[in-house]
């Protein structure tokens, strides 16, 4: 017959990996504690561990990456081969929410090695201003990728049929103002008085909001809280406090990538002293910093 046998059910590499993972997740029951702990003492979830292994293998097989810093690895990893990039990542950020079905994500920041570098910790103990790219993927109702290479921010959504990320938010800009604040009020007893007052003021009726206060929105998964802040505007903050003087978020693979995205989208990102996050110089690969980021006209 003249009928052509056209395979219309194309299995791309991406689709293959996603379907394999889905099958593994259902068959192997990946929900739940793996029992091991990472360098900052967080109890690792099984998906944390698998996400980290997948990420390490992907970076290794790319032949472009020489140095890798991961939240899940105590020390940095230096690959064989001629890669000229250093990647800092939190492979599954927000993992404590996995069992509750809350969106989690992968955060990444990328440095280019200096020509003279052969791959060492010096390639990542650098200011955020030296990052050449940053972003996150968020795994929720759909999979999103938010990316900057220093020329603005572009948002993509995974089309699972095509197995491709499709450009859905070209040249994304964060609104300059929005009456939403995103903090963990459970820490308020430990906050500095200045921050307590700042948040209390947001709870008062605001003239420019016709007497309404700000709305509180906190998911507890940085990727989800940042995604909402980029799209809707507002404030996200995790300040240092009397129990953790540098707060909780790690500079290289949480603060820097999100700060680069915020600035590239027209927002701002500063530490507890009001210094630009991207100008900080980390001394250790898991160093933390207090952070305030969001709509630039909301900056206190
Ligand atoms: P808390 C998740 O563990 C994480 O690293 C970020 O994703 C999130 O913003 C923060 O910690 C939540 O911390 O103390 O509010 O539960």
């Amino acid at each position: 017959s003249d009928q052509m046998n056209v395979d219309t059910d194309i299995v791309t590499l991406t689709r293959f990996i996603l379907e394999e993972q889905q099958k593994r997740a259902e068959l192997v029951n990946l929900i739940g504690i793996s029992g091991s702990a990472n360098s900052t003492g967080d109890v690792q979830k099984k998906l944390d561990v698998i996400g980290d292994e997948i990420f390490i293998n992907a970076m290794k097989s790319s032949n472009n990456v020489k140095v890798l810093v991961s939240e899940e690895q105590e020390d940095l990893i230096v690959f064989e081969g001629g890669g000229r990039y250093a990647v800092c990542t939190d492979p599954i950020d927000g993992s404590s929410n996995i069992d509750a079905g809350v969106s989690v994500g992968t955060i990444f920041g990328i440095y280019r090695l200096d020509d003279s570098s052969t791959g060492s910790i010096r390639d990542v103990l650098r200011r955020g201003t030296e990052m050449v790219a940053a972003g996150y993927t968020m795994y929720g109702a759909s999979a999103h990728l938010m990316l900057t290479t220093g020329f603005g921010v572009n948002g993509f959504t995974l089309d699972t049929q095509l197995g491709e990320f499709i450009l859905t938010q070209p040249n994304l800009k964060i609104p300059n103002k929005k009456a939403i604040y995103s903090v963990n009020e459970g820490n308020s007893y430990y906050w500095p008085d200045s921050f307590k007052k700042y948040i209390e003021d947001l709870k008062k009726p605001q003239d420019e909001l016709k007497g309404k206060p700000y709305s509180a929105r906190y998911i507890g998964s940085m990727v989800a809280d940042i995604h909402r802040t980029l799209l809707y505007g507002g404030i996200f903050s995790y300040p240092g406090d009397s129990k953790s003087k540098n707060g909780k978020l790690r500079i290289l693979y949480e603060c820097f990538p999100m700060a680069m995205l915020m600035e590239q989208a027209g927002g701002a990102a500063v530490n507890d002293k009001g210094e630009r996050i991207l100008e900080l110089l980390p001394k250790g690969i898991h160093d933390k910093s207090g952070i305030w980021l969001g709509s630039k006209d909301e900056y206190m």
Side-chain angles (χ1 to χ4, degrees), residues 93-94 96 184 187 218 220-222 236 238 248-250 254:
D93 183 80
S96 56
N184 181 346
N187 293 327
Y218 192 69
S221 181
M222 189 180 198
F236 171 88
Y238 206 113
K248 175 179 182 182
L249 300 177
R250 276 52 62 100
E254 288 170 318

Side-chain angles (χ1 to χ4, degrees), residues 146-147 151-155 167-174 264-265:
M146 205 60 86
L147 175 68
F151 302 93
V153 173
N154 288 289
L167 177 64
T168 44
Q169 288 120 339
N171 193 30
L172 182 133
K173 294 298 174 196
I174 178 174
Q264 288 290 320

Side-chain angles (χ1 to χ4, degrees), residues 2 24 44 51 77 83 107 126 141 202 210 217 239 253 256:
D2 60 354
R24 283 175 66 185
Q44 286 179 305
I77 297 172
I107 309 173
R126 298 158 76 175
L202 299 181
K210 299 189 179 67
R217 294 284 184 275
Y253 43 81
F256 276 175

Side-chain angles (χ1 to χ4, degrees), residues 3-287:
Q3 291 293 326
M4 283 176 65
N5 280 329
V6 178
D7 179 0
T8 56
D9 188 14
I10 305 158
V11 180
T12 62
L13 172 62
T14 305
R15 179 175 164 186
F16 176 79
I17 292 171
L18 285 171
E19 287 173 352
E20 280 296 286
Q21 273 180 316
Q22 185 54 38
K23 282 203 279 289
R24 283 175 66 185
E26 283 159 4
L27 292 177
V28 182
N29 176 26
L30 290 177
I31 304 299
I33 305 281
S34 73
S36 51
N38 67 12
S39 53
T40 45
D42 295 340
V43 175
Q44 286 179 305
K45 296 269 186 178
K46 285 177 186 166
L47 279 180
D48 260 345
V49 177
I50 288 189
D52 190 41
E53 288 169 8
I54 289 175
F55 201 94
I56 292 170
N57 291 331
M59 295 303 102
K60 188 175 181 179
S61 59
S62 75
N63 290 317
N64 283 313
V65 177
K66 185 68 182 173
V67 176
L68 175 63
V69 167
S70 167
E71 184 201 32
E72 307 300 344
Q73 298 291 327
E74 178 99 21
D75 299 315
L76 86 167
I77 297 172
V78 181
F79 295 117
E80 295 300 315
R84 301 310 298 159
Y85 291 91
V87 176
C88 304
T89 186
D90 186 350
I92 306 281
D93 183 80
S95 57
S96 56
N97 296 294
I98 285 178
D99 292 9
V102 171
S103 297
V104 296
T106 301
I107 309 173
F108 58 90
I110 304 173
Y111 292 104
R112 179 164 174 74
L113 270 58
D114 290 338
D115 293 346
S116 59
S117 169
T118 55
S120 77
I121 198 164
R122 287 190 301 279
D123 295 306
V124 290
L125 294 184
R126 298 158 76 175
R127 288 183 169 74
T129 47
E130 293 188 48
M131 282 194 168
V132 293
Y136 60 79
T137 45
M138 184 173 79
Y139 317 114
S142 48
H144 296 277
L145 165 67
M146 205 60 86
L147 175 68
T148 181
T149 56
F151 302 93
V153 173
N154 288 289
F156 300 81
T157 304
L158 180 67
D159 178 326
T160 50
Q161 293 307 314
L162 277 178
E164 296 284 356
F165 277 98
I166 309 298
L167 177 64
T168 44
Q169 288 120 339
N171 193 30
L172 182 133
K173 294 298 174 196
I174 178 174
N176 289 335
K177 275 187 85 58
K178 181 70 179 180
I180 295 176
Y181 72 96
S182 184
V183 293
N184 181 346
E185 304 246 15
N187 293 327
S188 57
Y189 177 79
Y190 306 102
W191 287 343
D193 289 343
S194 55
F195 193 79
K196 279 181 194 163
K197 182 178 180 328
Y198 168 63
I199 296 297
E200 282 313 304
D201 286 347
L202 299 181
K203 294 177 180 177
K204 293 174 183 161
Q206 311 284 322
D207 295 340
E208 66 271 24
L209 299 177
K210 299 189 179 67
K212 282 177 59 183
Y214 276 55
S215 297
R217 294 284 184 275
Y218 192 69
I219 301 167
S221 181
M222 189 180 198
V223 171
D225 280 318
I226 298 299
H227 193 69
R228 182 204 57 248
T229 305
L230 273 172
L231 297 184
Y232 293 3
I235 296 153
F236 171 88
S237 185
Y238 206 113
D241 61 28
S242 57
K243 66 181 179 358
S244 319
K245 74 177 175 57
N246 292 316
K248 175 179 182 182
L249 300 177
R250 276 52 62 100
I251 292 175
L252 278 179
Y253 43 81
E254 288 170 318
C255 297
F256 276 175
M258 296 315 197
M260 185 175 179
L261 282 171
M262 275 297 153
E263 291 198 358
Q264 288 290 320
V270 296
N271 66 3
D272 296 338
K273 288 183 254 174
E275 298 161 332
R276 197 175 160 219
I277 286 283
L278 290 177
E279 286 177 7
L280 299 178
L281 181 61
K283 299 275 181 299
I285 60 173
H286 299 295
D287 280 9

